[in-house]
Amino acid sequence: MTKQVHAAHILVKTEKKAKEVLDKIHKGESFAEMARKYSDCPSGKNKGDLGWFGKGKMVPEFERAAFEGDKGKVLGPVKTDFGYHIIKVLDKK
């Protein structure tokens, strides 16, 4: 059972923008570069890296996607009160 997830994300205000960024990633653009360029979260300066987190540390929608997602996968868009997230699951333990 997964106890912690190491994830990165890109946070944008609209679903449309999230889908545009996700499309660029699927076409080969670097997740890290897209985070630096588009993320509204301060973590964007650090390639979107959120570090390791356990259950109960993130909003429920984000946490569910990150814990259920496969390592190495890019997920989203995931809607929360903060906006729309594109999540990359970097590792699990």
Side-chain angles (χ1 to χ4, degrees), residues 5-18:
V5 172
H6 182 194
H9 80 141
I10 300 168
L11 175 64
V12 295
K13 290 179 177 57
T14 67
E15 185 176 19
K16 182 178 184 231
K17 177 55 84 177

Side-chain angles (χ1 to χ4, degrees), residues 19-88:
K19 287 180 177 178
E20 288 171 8
V21 174
L22 190 59
D23 189 51
K24 290 179 185 214
I25 293 166
H26 287 316
K27 288 181 177 171
E29 293 285 339
S30 159
F31 187 96
E33 285 306 309
M34 295 294 97
R36 282 192 184 122
K37 189 170 183 180
Y38 295 108
S39 188
D40 293 330
C41 180
S43 68
K45 294 181 180 120
N46 192 32
K47 304 176 191 173
D49 194 340
L50 296 169
W52 288 95
F53 57 89
K55 294 210 174 196
K57 299 294 183 190
M58 301 291 179
V59 293
E61 304 88 347
F62 186 98
E63 180 180 291
R64 190 175 316 109
F67 273 83
E68 290 176 3
D70 293 327
K71 180 179 170 182
K73 296 290 182 186
V74 176
L75 317 165
V78 175
K79 185 182 187 320
T80 71
D81 289 342
F82 296 101
Y84 292 84
H85 305 261
I86 299 166
I87 304 166
K88 184 170 186 179

